[in-house]
Amino acid sequence: MLSNQQLKGFQQQLQQTKQQLKERLHDSGDFDLRRSMEDSTGELSSYDNHPGDQGTELYEREKDLALSEHYRDEIHDIERALTAIEAGEYGKCEVCSKEIPLERLNAIPTTTFCVEHTPSRETSDNRPIEEEVLGPPFGRFNLDGRKESVAFDAEDSWQEVASFGTSETPSDFAYPPSDYEDMYIESDENIGYVEDYENFVGVDIYGKDITVYPNSQYQELKEELFEENIQTPFGDLPQYEHDPYVEEDKK
């Protein structure tokens, strides 16, 4: 049990810390969050700013938000501890009602939990439940790992947006693309199809009437196969199928 002198000492310490946090929030104008980002940076407009400058300003804004939230959470914990002191419950765990060691209270005066039941001990890795019902591109970021998946996922959505221009330069890539308009990750990835031949070979609704459309990719593949003297990118095809693709039903 904590003595009256110890409780009074913790109460004074908590009240003093609470006052200091409130003064910091007031003096900083709530970390300048009461004004818009343009006003806080002195810019009339951010339209002509470089994306790198915009990124720096956004980072600073996010940092201010995090600091403001941290201060407010700290004040909330202090008020919770002060309420426990007034109720005569300070120094006891809210969950199991066991005595909280004095060493723990000295290190974290705002705590009202023992080590075993502290909420900050476990870090949740649960994803939002909405992801279970939302389809691509909102449900999952990358579906490349799924076999035969050609769905338009969030990664494809980013690539589509990045194709209109990013702040990347050739120096940002180990193997920079040949075209300056392709300065984004996996810019050479096929969009809407997997294999190159799917972009120039088509069939009817029944899978018949194979038609080859002689576009630029068809010509490139044709020249590549001619130079390598092979029939397909994975080698020559056998003259006949040794094993059928679909096993016939045994009667």
Side-chain angles (χ1 to χ4, degrees):
M1 292 290 294
L2 296 174
S3 64
N4 291 333
Q5 184 177 1
Q6 289 174 325
L7 284 173
K8 187 175 181 180
F10 281 121
Q11 188 177 32
Q12 291 177 348
Q13 181 182 355
L14 291 169
Q15 290 174 341
Q16 182 180 2
T17 304
K18 177 182 177 181
Q19 184 62 28
Q20 291 175 350
L21 292 175
K22 285 189 172 182
E23 289 177 357
R24 292 177 187 174
L25 282 173
H26 180 269
D27 294 342
S28 65
D30 198 7
F31 291 95
D32 219 10
L33 295 176
R34 299 171 187 172
R35 300 189 296 170
S36 65
M37 191 163 65
E38 285 78 8
D39 292 339
S40 63
T41 57
E43 296 281 352
L44 295 177
S45 173
S46 59
Y47 178 78
D48 60 343
N49 284 3
H50 189 277
D53 296 333
Q54 287 283 74
T56 300
E57 294 172 5
L58 181 60
Y59 164 77
E60 293 295 335
R61 192 70 166 182
E62 291 174 341
K63 185 175 68 175
D64 293 337
L65 285 169
L67 288 173
S68 177
E69 183 178 355
H70 172 73
Y71 275 36
R72 294 182 183 280
D73 289 344
E74 191 73 14
I75 292 174
H76 176 268
D77 291 342
I78 291 175
E79 292 175 344
R80 190 170 184 170
L82 290 173
T83 301
I85 292 176
E86 295 176 358
E89 299 176 353
Y90 184 77
K92 296 181 181 179
C93 177
E94 290 188 12
V95 178
C96 62
S97 299
K98 291 183 179 179
E99 296 287 339
I100 302 175
L102 181 61
E103 294 80 7
R104 176 169 171 79
L105 293 174
N106 286 328
I108 315 175
T110 58
T111 186
T112 55
F113 298 92
C114 64
V115 175
E116 288 76 14
H117 297 106
T118 179
S120 60
R121 188 175 185 182
E122 297 181 2
T123 302
S124 175
D125 57 355
N126 294 332
R127 299 296 301 163
I129 190 63
E130 291 80 4
E131 289 189 355
E132 299 298 328
V133 295
L134 291 176
F138 306 103
R140 291 288 184 272
F141 184 80
N142 191 336
L143 299 177
D144 292 347
R146 295 188 180 181
K147 187 177 181 181
E148 301 296 333
S149 175
V150 294
F152 189 86
D153 57 16
E155 182 189 28
D156 297 323
S157 178
W158 154 248
Q159 291 171 340
E160 182 69 19
V161 174
S163 65
F164 290 93
T166 67
S167 59
E168 303 286 0
T169 63
S171 61
D172 297 315
F173 295 86
Y175 303 98
S178 57
D179 192 337
Y180 204 91
E181 298 296 329
D182 295 334
M183 294 299 162
Y184 57 93
I185 299 175
E186 295 184 349
S187 59
D188 58 341
E189 184 179 39
N190 296 329
I191 303 298
Y193 56 95
V194 178
E195 301 294 343
D196 290 339
Y197 65 81
E198 292 179 303
N199 198 33
F200 54 79
V201 177
V203 296
D204 60 15
I205 193 173
Y206 302 104
K208 300 179 180 180
D209 289 339
I210 300 175
T211 305
V212 177
Y213 301 91
N215 58 12
S216 58
Q217 285 187 316
Y218 169 74
Q219 297 297 335
E220 291 177 4
L221 179 62
K222 186 176 179 180
E223 294 175 1
E224 179 182 345
L225 297 179
F226 179 78
E227 292 178 1
E228 298 292 336
N229 194 25
I230 54 179
Q231 295 177 338
T232 68
F234 47 84
D236 291 335
L237 294 174
Q239 296 181 356
Y240 60 92
E241 294 291 342
H242 297 282
D243 298 314
Y245 287 108
V246 181
E247 295 183 0
E248 296 180 356
D249 294 336
K250 296 181 179 180
K251 296 182 180 180

